[in-house]
Amino acid sequence: MSFTFSLERKVLLAWLLFFACLASIQAQDCDSRLQLSISNPSTQAVSAQLFFKGTERIVNLKTSTSINTLCPGNYRLVILQSGYQPVDTSFVLTQSLDLHLQLIPEIKQLHEVEIHDDRSDENGFRTLQSSTLQAAAFQLNAGKPLGEMLKEVSGVSSLQSGPTISKPIIHGLHSNRILLINNGIRLESQQWGTEHAPEIDPFNVAKVTVLKGAAGLRFGSDAIAGVVLMEPYEMSSEKGLKADVRLVGNSNGRQGGASARIEKTFGGKLQGMGLRIQGTLKNGGNVQTPHYYLANTGMRERDASVSWQLNRKKLALELSGSVFSTQVGIFTGSHVGNVDDLLAAFSSSKPIDSVGFERKIDRGYQTVLHGTGKARVCYHFSDTKKIELIYGLQHNRRKEYDSGLPYSNDPAVMLAAQADFKISTHTADLLYQANLGKHYTLNSGLSLMTQGNVFQGLEYRALIPNFRNYGSGVFAALTRQWKKWQAEAGLRYDYRWLECYRLDYSTLATYAVQRDFSNVSFSSGATYDWTKQFSLSFHAGSAWRAPNVNELYGNGVHQSAASFEIGDSTLKSERAYQLSISGVWETEKSRVELGVYRNQIDHFIYLKPLLKPVVTIAGAYPAFQQTQVNAIFSGLDLDVKTSLWKNLKVGGKLALIRGYNSSIQDYLVYTPPARVDAYLLLEGKPSIKGMKPFIKLSGHYSAQQKNVPEKSDYVAPPAAYFLMQVDAGMSIGKKHPIEVSISVWNLLNTTYREYLNRFRYFADEQGRSVIVRLTIPLQF
Amino acid sequence: MKNKFSAFLMLLSSILILATSCKKEEQVVSPPLPGNEFLTTIKLHLISSDNVDTLVATWRDLTPEDTNPPDTSLAALILKPNTTYSAQLELLDETKSPAEDITAEIKERANYHRIFYFPSSSLGTNLSVAVTDLDTNNPPLALGISSTISTQNVSSGFLQVILKHQPNVKDGTFAPGSTDADVKFQISIQP
């Protein structure tokens, strides 16, 4: 008995001692030292808030301040300096700590386009006209297809096939003349099709850079009109677990989208390693114009991506994979048998087959499955030399189901697709970048590519044949820096080999046809920083494009275009020579950017209307023949913005394009008409962690395209139209703010048709849409 | 530095080998799926009401991807004035032998199809076509494979035959749906 009592006492004593120790630690001398130093581009004194255990202390910082009487523990330091990005950092203070802080001038948030400053990276060359959209600005357009979201960039418009299919047009050119680069891998699918949208999940895109012009040097063939570079979110280098969910709802089409992302970055021994998993789901039903629904315009999308990265001082590794899967309904009113059907559809005030809202997707529809795998190794020999190897694997399976069922009793045939394409692409890029001496930078690389395409499906005539191609390219470019000047020049050589496999339908024997192409591209330019505010750039370059298999061998009725398209197997490569001059004038309050360009494309391939229609059992179809001419695309992009008062900004954009067929001295069909945009933006103060609340009113005017050659189109280009839009956003909550934004597109519910929408023969454009977006950070 | 550079080059070449050693599916070109019929031929069979005259006109295009116009010399009918004929339309896929009968498919999916007959304005009222068969809709709508053709005075022109595909939108009118066939038969009404 005395033993246990003794033990209990000992335990009690031990606890008392423990608490005494704790208390003593608390009451310990608060003589820890915190040294704060700040790199402050501003001349004003900076005031910082230091939070410790619920108390706040204001510290006035000049360049360096030292506080010696602090208690050890967890601290939070916040600096809100107008004109600079907020600083919010947490740290643990034990005995002494030296904290270096950097004030970074504020990135223009959300709605403004920024010119990419750091041009020394391998993404492009500074003298080439380009625009960059940061994540927030780009994601403000969420709710639209990717091609529509890119229209935010001046000089970029879109080619639509109804409300759900859209692809970008840069300076009047699209499809095979633009490269879409997603996370460093060139998107390879059936991109020749005007109604084939890019297979990219916009939720996984953080930064968009559009290079407008002959960017063939770094990226290889096909980049005649430009390159759209899409990059995913960068992984944090600090240890942490980040997750968020983004929700988008669109009243038009009753479309819902959700995207979730979880990212784990490691510390300690695994510092620099990160893993991100992301997924997106979208579902929409019939879209509405101001007066009627568009039948069978629902869509579904399911995407997922995984990215593993290791970023060390000298070595960076990345392994990524993604899957994009979509089903898109094709507006039933666009399925026409022949030209008489098409003209009947155009002359009726609304689509003949009328419907209400429906989520179900019936025949005709497209399904696409696109898988991408990427492996990247980057080694920094030193601060000024690095080498990179990127390997990409893509597999694209596209099936197109016509609304007309095949004439058959065989159930397998009844379920089969009219067109079934399977294309697999391997790409490998070896890039070497080095600073040579004090003034020169070398960018060089070697690219390899191989592709195999298989066509199956019910269509008697293959739209494009089976083929295998190999491509290789090697390039080198030098950039020279002086005080006010930067100049660059580069050369590239490409070789491409193509073998098509076709079936002789009478003997059923397979035969092969080969073509090969080799070309040199160049790029040169200079930028002069005239004054601190004004800089002028000049660029001259060339790019080329091999004729695509559908241009060479395609032969048959293009269903929704009600035309008979005839290929030409003797087509040569297109060659583009481009000149552009752009100037940027920027002050604290305003920014003006003006760019003018001239893109001359020799052997430009386009569909020339033939005088005699082709008579088939389904009626007469106007015939179009793939022809080569010399074309000139020239134009102007103007982007202006200025601050009127403290929080009120105003801005506008103008884009003019002229597409000219110099071989026959006439205009080229399907050139975008003049476009003017203007906006008024009111912004509030940002909360510590959240975004600036804002409200923005914008207007868009599209002129009528009057420069159209004769007989090249069934119906004249539509009338000019004016649309209004309002956007607003704010963050809710202090600790982990939720970002909310609301947009109303086509605010006035205007009835209009868009020249570059191939479905304008059949129906009006979308009516008013109300979009609500939520970005919810998740905490673990 | 040299070693690391060559390491990268080796990586690149191994990728090359990997990529080119994959199986070459594209070298196998799939022939058109068996059992997939499509339209090559439309025949109009006429029998006069007194069972004396039997006529057939054939519109045929066996090479649809060929841009040369098809030979339509057989797509012509010489009819007697003031006569009534019973007509049957026959649709075939003659790329197969024996030829595949599409007419049966259309009859099976009668609720999704309608054949229209439009005489040219040069014939005026001298040629009229009355469709006699029906589909299984409630109330039933005309189909158009069987019809009665009546002639009056001497004249000439053409008869346009249009097969419309009207899935879920068939309402008896011409407008809905899309055109699957649109051919013209030359008509000459002479004694």
Side-chain angles (χ1 to χ4, degrees):
Chain A
M1 192 171 139
S2 64
F3 174 77
T4 50
F5 185 77
S6 199
L7 186 60
E8 268 180 14
R9 270 219 172 147
K10 278 183 188 160
V11 168
L12 193 61
L13 200 60
W15 276 113
L16 278 171
L17 271 173
F18 177 67
F19 279 116
C21 280
L22 266 185
S24 75
I25 289 169
Q26 298 280 43
Q28 182 179 6
D29 291 325
C30 286
D31 60 1
S32 299
R33 186 189 74 98
L34 175 67
Q35 168 97 4
L36 286 172
S37 57
I38 187 159
S39 81
N40 177 9
S42 141
T43 48
Q44 301 166 300
V46 172
S47 124
Q49 299 159 286
L50 192 60
F51 297 93
F52 175 66
K53 286 196 168 73
T55 62
E56 184 189 321
R57 180 193 204 130
I58 306 289
V59 181
N60 284 317
L61 287 173
K62 280 239 173 111
T63 42
S64 173
T65 297
S66 189
I67 311 166
N68 292 324
T69 54
L70 293 173
C71 304
N74 293 324
Y75 282 82
R76 181 170 168 221
L77 183 74
V78 173
I79 303 177
L80 292 176
Q81 186 78 356
S82 104
Y84 296 90
Q85 283 187 23
V87 173
D88 182 355
T89 181
S90 300
F91 56 91
V92 175
L93 181 63
T94 48
Q95 279 285 86
S96 147
L97 181 67
D98 275 330
L99 203 59
H100 302 282
L101 301 159
Q102 190 180 24
L103 276 187
I104 303 168
E106 197 167 50
I107 294 177
K108 306 211 175 359
Q109 289 197 31
L110 292 163
H111 12 260
E112 297 173 43
V113 164
E114 197 187 295
I115 285 297
H116 198 39
D117 263 346
D118 175 16
R119 303 305 179 95
S120 59
D121 64 338
E122 61 274 22
N123 279 343
F125 297 96
R126 188 180 171 190
T127 57
L128 196 56
Q129 229 187 323
S130 81
S131 299
T132 299
L133 276 179
Q134 298 293 346
F138 180 64
Q139 294 295 343
L140 197 60
N141 291 295
K144 294 179 180 167
L146 179 71
E148 294 301 297
M149 289 171 79
L150 293 169
K151 273 164 103 159
E152 187 70 25
V153 180
S154 74
V156 178
S157 44
S158 72
L159 181 66
Q160 288 169 261
S161 299
T164 45
I165 299 175
S166 168
K167 49 200 308 184
I169 298 178
I170 301 177
H171 288 172
L173 299 167
H174 59 85
S175 295
N176 272 38
R177 297 190 182 96
I178 295 182
L179 285 187
L180 296 173
I181 313 246
N182 188 19
N183 191 20
I185 306 280
R186 194 179 144 140
L187 179 68
E188 288 290 335
S189 55
Q190 306 294 345
Q191 62 263 35
W192 52 270
T194 46
E195 64 268 39
H196 299 172
E199 294 89 343
I200 295 172
D201 176 8
F203 279 115
N204 207 17
V205 174
K207 187 164 95 173
V208 176
T209 303
V210 178
L211 300 175
K212 299 177 270 192
L217 188 76
R218 156 67 184 94
F219 300 103
S221 95
D222 297 3
I224 284 193
V227 177
V228 180
L229 291 166
M230 285 163 283
E231 290 161 69
Y233 290 91
E234 270 186 34
M235 265 194 214
S236 161
S237 50
E238 283 172 11
K239 175 181 171 174
L241 182 64
K242 240 181 3 190
D244 65 26
V245 172
R246 270 177 289 163
L247 302 170
V248 177
N250 186 341
S251 67
N252 196 329
R254 296 186 212 168
Q255 196 188 95
S259 184
R261 176 165 61 122
I262 182 165
E263 188 176 295
K264 170 106 182 102
T265 40
F266 298 85
K269 280 203 189 146
L270 296 177
Q271 175 86 30
M273 187 182 296
L275 180 68
R276 170 167 60 224
I277 299 173
Q278 178 259 355
T280 299
L281 286 172
K282 284 190 198 161
N283 183 310
N286 287 352
V287 165
Q288 205 179 4
T289 73
H291 302 292
Y292 48 82
Y293 279 95
L294 297 175
N296 204 41
T297 48
M299 63 84 81
R300 311 272 184 273
E301 194 179 303
R302 284 176 299 183
D303 314 314
S305 70
V306 161
S307 183
W308 174 88
Q309 290 176 28
L310 177 63
N311 291 308
R312 285 275 154 89
K313 219 178 112 187
K314 288 204 166 206
L315 186 70
L317 293 174
E318 179 189 343
L319 274 177
S320 299
S322 69
V323 170
F324 174 96
S325 153
T326 185
Q327 181 188 20
V328 176
I330 302 294
F331 173 46
T332 51
S334 72
H335 176 81
V336 286
N338 58 20
V339 177
D340 292 333
D341 283 353
L342 189 151
L343 292 173
F346 182 72
S347 58
S348 76
S349 61
K350 60 191 202 105
I352 294 160
D353 312 333
S354 71
V355 284
F357 178 80
E358 248 186 58
R359 225 171 256 282
K360 183 158 175 278
I361 300 176
D362 284 321
R363 278 185 91 115
Y365 60 85
Q366 306 173 350
T367 61
V368 189
L369 180 65
H370 189 93
T372 311
K374 173 188 177 187
R376 173 178 178 260
V377 181
C378 183
Y379 183 74
H380 293 260
F381 295 104
S382 64
D383 262 349
T384 56
K385 251 195 264 272
K386 74 172 187 191
I387 189 168
E388 199 175 359
L389 179 62
I390 305 174
Y391 167 71
L393 168 63
Q394 291 173 79
H395 186 82
N396 181 293
R397 183 78 187 265
R398 168 178 283 273
K399 296 190 199 178
E400 298 185 351
Y401 296 83
D402 253 7
S403 65
L405 282 168
Y407 288 116
S408 173
N409 278 322
D410 185 346
V413 171
M414 298 294 275
L415 290 173
Q418 264 78 3
D420 184 341
F421 311 89
K422 192 159 65 167
I423 188 166
S424 290
T425 312
H426 297 259
T427 53
D429 287 86
L430 183 66
L431 303 165
Y432 179 70
Q433 191 179 342
N435 285 358
L436 306 174
K438 236 171 63 168
H439 303 288
Y440 288 93
T441 306
L442 169 71
N443 258 302
S444 61
L446 169 68
S447 295
L448 298 169
M449 191 258 265
T450 180
Q451 231 175 13
N453 179 65
V454 176
F455 178 84
Q456 300 154 77
L458 300 176
E459 291 284 86
Y460 183 76
R461 310 160 292 277
L463 285 170
I464 62 168
N466 288 15
F467 66 83
R468 161 69 49 184
N469 71 23
Y470 293 96
S472 64
V474 62
F475 76 93
L478 271 181
T479 308
R480 217 280 193 195
Q481 192 88 40
W482 288 272
K483 231 174 154 187
K484 287 195 171 196
W485 281 93
Q486 190 185 60
E488 60 206 19
L491 266 182
R492 183 187 178 109
Y493 171 75
D494 282 287
Y495 176 75
R496 229 182 184 178
W497 181 88
L498 172 69
E499 186 166 71
C500 290
Y501 306 97
R502 319 193 68 196
L503 199 62
D504 182 336
Y505 285 113
S506 42
T507 64
L508 286 187
T510 307
Y511 63 98
V513 179
Q514 284 164 12
R515 287 286 301 268
D516 66 351
F517 310 91
S518 69
N519 269 295
V520 175
S521 327
F522 72 89
S523 172
S524 62
T527 302
Y528 181 56
D529 290 316
W530 213 289
T531 65
K532 215 174 137 187
Q533 285 121 359
F534 182 64
S535 75
L536 195 64
S537 291
F538 160 79
H539 183 260
S542 87
W544 69 283
R545 181 180 80 86
N548 199 62
V549 277
N550 74 303
E551 290 164 332
L552 293 168
Y553 304 115
N555 199 38
V557 172
H558 185 166
Q559 204 57 42
S560 58
S563 61
F564 193 100
E565 293 173 7
I566 304 163
D568 179 354
S569 61
T570 64
L571 292 172
K572 298 193 279 241
S573 300
E574 291 182 338
R575 175 159 275 293
Y577 300 98
Q578 195 225 27
L579 277 175
S580 71
I581 298 176
S582 57
V584 179
W585 179 77
E586 188 164 8
T587 64
E588 226 186 86
K589 281 194 172 189
S590 315
R591 189 174 187 284
V592 176
E593 187 188 355
L594 174 66
V596 294
Y597 59 91
R598 181 185 191 274
N599 199 350
Q600 176 181 318
I601 306 178
D602 291 344
H603 314 302
F604 178 77
I605 299 169
Y606 83 113
L607 283 169
K608 176 179 137 187
L610 297 178
L611 290 174
K612 277 172 66 178
V614 171
V615 176
T616 70
I617 202 163
Y621 288 88
F624 294 84
Q625 165 92 58
Q626 301 278 7
T627 310
Q628 297 199 274
V629 294
N630 293 332
I632 301 175
F633 285 85
S634 49
L636 181 153
D637 293 325
L638 175 64
D639 209 311
V640 177
K641 52 177 79 89
T642 184
S643 293
L644 283 181
W645 290 293
K646 212 172 89 159
N647 297 323
L648 185 64
K649 294 188 181 141
V650 68
K653 285 199 299 227
L654 169 69
L656 300 172
I657 303 179
R658 178 182 181 261
Y660 198 68
N661 181 343
S662 47
S663 299
I664 61 166
Q665 302 287 305
D666 200 352
Y667 292 100
L668 279 167
V669 73
Y670 295 125
T671 303
R675 291 176 49 187
V676 184
D677 292 86
Y679 67 85
L680 268 176
L681 172 66
L682 193 64
E683 289 173 305
K685 276 179 74 156
S687 50
I688 291 177
K689 280 191 165 187
M691 63 194 224
K692 272 187 188 170
F694 74 97
I695 181 158
K696 179 181 179 190
L697 184 66
S698 30
H700 171 84
Y701 173 77
S702 188
Q704 179 177 32
Q705 178 56 275
K706 300 216 167 99
N707 297 332
V708 181
E710 277 181 40
K711 289 202 184 66
S712 52
D713 203 351
Y714 310 114
V715 153
Y721 63 85
F722 177 70
L723 300 174
M724 291 204 69
Q725 176 176 325
V726 75
D727 302 273
M730 60 185 284
S731 15
I732 299 174
K734 287 211 163 144
K735 223 172 154 216
H736 305 290
I738 294 178
E739 287 174 18
V740 189
S741 72
I742 295 178
S743 298
V744 184
W745 296 326
N746 196 358
L747 186 64
L748 309 172
N749 208 22
T750 310
T751 303
Y752 71 103
R753 296 200 182 191
E754 163 59 54
Y755 181 46
L756 297 166
N757 185 344
R758 294 168 351 92
F759 287 12
R760 68 180 158 88
Y761 301 128
F762 318 114
D764 297 326
E765 289 287 327
Q766 289 184 59
R768 190 183 299 123
S769 317
V770 179
I771 294 89
V772 178
R773 295 178 206 92
L774 284 171
T775 302
I776 304 165
L778 299 175
Q779 285 307 115
F780 295 96
Chain B
M1 145 82 170
K2 210 169 168 201
N3 275 335
K4 300 233 163 54
F5 205 93
S6 41
F8 273 85
L9 279 174
M10 268 181 59
L11 260 174
L12 184 67
S13 32
S14 49
I15 285 169
L16 241 181
I17 295 166
L18 174 79
T20 55
S21 63
C22 290
K23 57 185 194 286
K24 303 279 170 59
E25 276 187 308
E26 64 279 352
Q27 289 179 7
V28 176
V29 180
S30 51
L33 266 175
N36 172 39
E37 295 85 8
F38 69 104
L39 220 43
T40 62
T41 309
I42 297 183
K43 289 186 178 181
L44 190 57
H45 297 270
L46 268 62
I47 300 178
S48 63
S49 49
D50 55 13
N51 285 324
V52 168
D53 292 321
T54 308
L55 308 156
V56 62
T58 307
W59 201 103
R60 179 186 279 131
D61 183 0
L62 294 171
T63 53
E65 70 278 13
D66 184 345
T67 54
N68 292 327
D71 176 11
T72 52
S73 53
L74 295 174
L77 287 167
I78 300 174
L79 305 175
K80 292 210 170 70
N82 299 310
T83 315
T84 307
Y85 299 84
S86 81
Q88 289 292 321
L89 201 66
E90 192 184 3
L91 300 102
L92 301 167
D93 174 357
E94 288 185 319
T95 58
K96 315 260 186 326
S97 57
E100 203 69 53
D101 180 25
I102 308 286
T103 327
E105 310 282 345
I106 292 175
K107 279 191 184 148
E108 261 182 53
R109 280 181 256 155
N111 294 357
Y112 285 176
H113 293 93
R114 170 76 157 107
I115 297 162
F116 292 91
Y117 297 89
F118 299 116
S120 64
S121 47
S122 55
L123 287 168
T125 51
N126 293 317
L127 186 83
S128 61
V129 182
V131 168
T132 53
D133 58 359
L134 298 166
D135 64 19
T136 58
N137 267 317
N138 192 7
L141 297 167
L143 176 58
I145 290 179
S146 307
S147 58
T148 307
I149 298 182
S150 314
T151 60
Q152 281 182 12
N153 302 321
V154 168
S155 53
S156 65
F158 60 84
L159 179 65
Q160 187 176 21
V161 179
I162 298 181
L163 166 64
K164 283 217 82 155
H165 177 70
Q166 302 178 319
N168 298 322
V169 290
K170 187 173 178 184
D171 64 0
T173 67
F174 177 77
S178 60
T179 306
D180 269 357
D182 180 351
V183 298
K184 292 190 171 102
F185 291 99
Q186 294 303 315
I187 305 283
S188 180
I189 304 176
Q190 55 191 82

